[in-house]
Amino acid sequence: MPSYDPNNIFAKILRGELPCYKVYEDDKALAFLDIMPRAPGHTLVLPKAPARNILDVPADDLAHVATVAQTIAKAAMTAFAADGITVQQFNEGAGGQVVFHLHVHVIPRKAGQPMKPPAAAKEKPEVLAEQAKALMAALAAG
Ligand code: DGP
């Protein structure tokens, strides 16, 4: 497996070199909206420490990311009036991974509405800003 590339796009977001629609942050994890959502409210949860994917991440960072993904999933049910949540995580190109900093996809789902294909279209900034606000409000409400 190739080594971690510190210039991947999510590493730049984590360093604050590129913007994101942040919804959650603690000392070990960051969550922000996917700019090419497969469904409204599609969120990515990342460990802050460098890790390419599930094959090199330390177990405690992975466990923390899973815990944050659960928190996001619960809040997203309310924020997006979801009927369910799809959680995905891809590893290496053959596994569907495109950005090589570990991330978990948390995708709110409505009954009967299929997900868009991966990276189908960029969402409008004003829509993402509104969705980030809604998700943060649901997170704050607990
Ligand atoms: P994956 O296949 O798991 O590596 O998915 C990468 C996801 O990242 C994909 O759903 C699109 C999203 N994405 C790509 N570039 C950016 C970006 O610059 N910002 C954000 N927020 N998401 C991005």
Side-chain angles (χ1 to χ4, degrees):
M1 186 173 80
S3 58
Y4 182 80
D5 171 11
N7 286 320
N8 75 77
I9 199 148
F10 291 170
K12 291 180 179 176
I13 290 174
L14 283 163
R15 289 196 294 268
E17 295 166 10
L18 290 174
C20 69
Y21 294 90
K22 181 166 81 175
V23 295
Y24 175 89
E25 181 170 20
D26 63 28
D27 57 334
K28 286 194 295 191
L30 178 70
F32 52 80
L33 295 184
D34 194 307
I35 52 168
M36 291 176 267
R38 300 192 63 182
H42 182 165
T43 301
L44 304 172
V45 184
L46 287 65
K48 286 189 170 175
R52 187 173 161 89
N53 55 41
I54 202 168
L55 301 170
D56 65 344
V57 66
D60 55 343
D61 281 343
L62 180 62
H64 185 67
V65 164
T67 301
V68 173
Q70 182 187 36
T71 302
I72 299 290
K74 288 178 177 175
M77 287 293 287
T78 313
F80 304 108
D83 300 309
I85 302 285
T86 297
V87 175
Q88 294 182 315
Q89 194 274 315
F90 304 116
N91 302 283
E92 295 302 317
Q97 187 175 14
V98 174
V99 180
F100 294 96
H101 182 109
L102 173 75
H103 52 280
V104 171
H105 299 255
V106 179
I107 308 173
R109 303 295 304 279
K110 295 269 203 189
Q113 289 184 14
M115 288 195 293
K116 288 185 196 165
K122 266 194 183 173
E123 186 52 277
K124 295 186 197 74
E126 60 270 25
V127 172
L128 292 172
E130 201 53 45
Q131 290 172 347
K133 227 167 89 180
L135 187 47
M136 284 189 289
L139 284 165

